[in-house]
Amino acid sequence: MSPFIGHRLGSGHAIETVQGNHWGFMPAQAFRAILVVALLCGCGPVRSQSTGQSQSGLSSGSDSAEAVGEQQPNRPVGTDAWVWIQPSMPSGRASNGPGANRDEDFRWFPDPIRRLRVQIIRFDARRLEYVQSPDQPETNVVAADRVVWAMPTRWQPGQRQAIDALIRGDDDMALRGLLQQTEKRPAVWLQQWMSMAAAQAASRSGRSEIALEIVRQLDRRPMPPMVVGWLPVCWLSSSGRAGGIDAQAARAALSDPSDAVRLVAASALLEKDRAAASAVLARLSGGQQRPLIAALASAQQMRTLNPAQWAEDWAIHLRRVETLPLAIQMGPLSMAAERTDRAGLDSAAEDLETSLRWAPVAPHPARPETLQMLVRGEPEGP
């Protein structure tokens, strides 16, 4: 095993399972307009894809988040959920203070990601609150940027059909099904994720306006990092890739009030109008109010580097990506793998590709093979 793969596996890409929901409602009216538009547009042509396709200072394990999410009263108990939690890093104070066990705090290998079966009480842009089991009243609280992934232990029938369509690349069916399921008022965080998955399906099928509208409406409410990580941002080269936000829609969205919409639009336009897209990314990356958006915009700017520039400082670029919370790393890491390969760094590119293939931290559309994790909990091997 190469040192790089060992590092990636040790950074939490091995998952340990532990046993052990109380979900909130999110008003569905905001998504009805999207659903109507999507269904009305259903008669148009659709291009379905088939499978085959930090910012410095923003660190995982902190209490940082984009905003505090709302908490709805009188929430009914939901179903069980799996959550994948990144271990916290030893604090400098604890590590260096009197009596610190340096052998324990500075082990050469990090702890693995923990996979827990829990009941989610609350999961918003700032924190996850859960109980291990219904008969254990103690509530556990984890910073949202340490939550790598969360999903129900069992998808409802309609949800499962929509997820299956997403996995096999039937983006038309996935778009319709996912938006219909948001009408059934699942947990807020799950409704946000399914809507973002619908935005991905709309983007992949070439329905730019629908994809941007979904993102626009989602961005009115604070989102957990794992939802932000699924923004339909373009991370890979457009050559040989169907769908995506078209140039006309992207240009119109560069001045949108939503930071998330501008990020998506700029990423889609970066290969067609670099000057306009780069200007938007520069403003977003310097923003102080939306650290996750700023970090993703900063990672997007790496796509403007030519192969020689990337090769010169590729290790530094990779370290910048790896300072992002794990929940939003998959897109930037996929970009880094492609850029490293184009720079002719064959060994490093192979290590990155193998790591993403066999040890992905979470499912992500930039790596279609990882979508099997949505139902199996693990990636599909070659």
Side-chain angles (χ1 to χ4, degrees):
M1 178 181 295
S2 73
F4 183 82
I5 300 303
H7 165 69
R8 298 292 300 160
L9 289 170
S11 295
H13 304 144
I15 300 175
E16 64 180 33
T17 303
V18 184
Q19 279 292 333
N21 274 322
H22 196 163
W23 289 356
F25 280 146
M26 178 180 181
Q29 292 87 342
F31 292 94
R32 285 179 181 146
I34 300 174
L35 180 59
V36 170
V37 171
L39 295 178
L40 287 176
C41 292
C43 58
V46 176
R47 299 191 304 275
S48 295
Q49 280 183 306
S50 60
T51 300
Q53 299 257 28
S54 131
Q55 189 179 28
S56 178
L58 199 164
S59 59
S60 300
S62 69
D63 290 329
S64 64
E66 293 190 279
V68 178
E70 300 177 31
Q71 184 174 9
Q72 300 293 333
N74 303 318
R75 294 169 299 180
V77 175
T79 58
D80 289 345
W82 288 108
V83 295
W84 303 359
I85 300 176
Q86 180 182 5
S88 59
M89 300 300 292
S91 66
R93 182 181 306 174
S95 299
N96 300 322
N101 185 339
R102 299 185 66 85
D103 290 337
E104 178 65 23
D105 289 340
F106 293 98
R107 292 172 296 179
W108 67 273
F109 60 93
D111 292 327
I113 289 174
R114 291 184 298 152
R115 185 183 184 192
L116 310 175
R117 183 171 182 171
V118 304
Q119 286 193 330
I120 292 180
I121 297 174
R122 173 175 175 157
F123 183 24
D124 57 31
R126 193 169 188 81
R127 61 186 176 273
L128 166 71
E129 299 177 12
Y130 67 90
V131 294
Q132 197 72 41
S133 63
D135 56 351
Q136 293 181 355
E138 181 179 357
T139 301
N140 300 277
V141 180
V142 175
D145 59 4
R146 286 179 52 202
V147 181
V148 181
W149 189 247
M151 67 182 184
T153 56
R154 288 195 182 94
W155 296 101
Q156 298 299 316
Q159 294 172 353
R160 178 59 189 264
Q161 291 174 357
I163 297 300
D164 285 342
L166 186 71
I167 292 171
R168 67 175 179 266
D170 188 345
D171 294 316
D172 185 24
M173 180 175 290
L175 173 61
R176 292 167 177 262
L178 288 164
L179 290 176
Q180 287 171 347
Q181 290 305 308
T182 65
E183 286 286 286
K184 298 183 179 180
R185 302 168 69 89
V188 175
W189 63 269
L190 183 56
Q191 186 170 164
Q192 287 176 318
W193 176 80
M194 287 196 298
S195 299
M196 195 65 83
Q200 283 279 355
S203 173
R204 296 194 311 183
S205 63
R207 297 185 173 192
S208 304
E209 296 295 344
I210 295 177
L212 291 170
E213 179 60 24
I214 295 173
V215 173
R216 184 176 295 114
Q217 295 203 30
L218 282 171
D219 202 33
R220 295 174 181 173
R221 183 188 188 95
M223 297 177 285
M226 93 167 201
V227 177
V228 176
W230 268 61
L231 280 166
V233 170
C234 177
W235 291 110
L236 303 177
S237 170
S238 61
S239 59
R241 177 168 46 82
I245 306 298
D246 64 61
Q248 182 178 356
R251 286 192 180 92
L254 286 180
S255 58
D256 197 275
S258 163
D259 290 345
V261 169
R262 293 202 305 278
L263 173 63
V264 171
S267 76
L269 205 57
L270 198 57
E271 295 178 353
K272 303 177 181 69
D273 190 345
R274 177 174 293 187
S278 295
V280 171
L281 292 173
R283 289 193 294 271
L284 289 173
S285 64
Q288 301 296 318
Q289 301 301 315
R290 305 290 300 278
L292 293 179
I293 296 294
L296 290 175
S298 180
Q300 269 290 312
Q301 291 177 308
M302 298 182 196
R303 290 178 58 206
T304 65
L305 299 174
N306 62 42
Q309 291 171 320
W310 183 271
E312 184 177 0
D313 293 314
W314 74 272
I316 294 175
H317 302 319
L318 184 59
R319 280 198 295 271
R320 288 179 60 196
V321 170
E322 291 187 328
T323 62
L324 299 172
L326 288 180
I328 65 172
Q329 273 192 26
M330 284 297 292
L333 278 175
S334 299
M335 177 271 298
E338 181 183 72
R339 305 299 297 181
T340 303
D341 180 62
R342 289 189 169 194
L345 303 171
D346 296 341
S347 179
E350 184 179 356
D351 279 357
L352 268 171
E353 180 64 27
T354 304
S355 174
L356 287 166
R357 180 75 176 181
W358 292 103
V361 296
H364 193 276
R367 308 288 307 189
E369 70 274 10
T370 67
L371 296 182
Q372 289 289 340
M373 299 168 75
L374 296 172
V375 293
R376 296 182 183 177
E378 58 186 20
E380 183 179 42

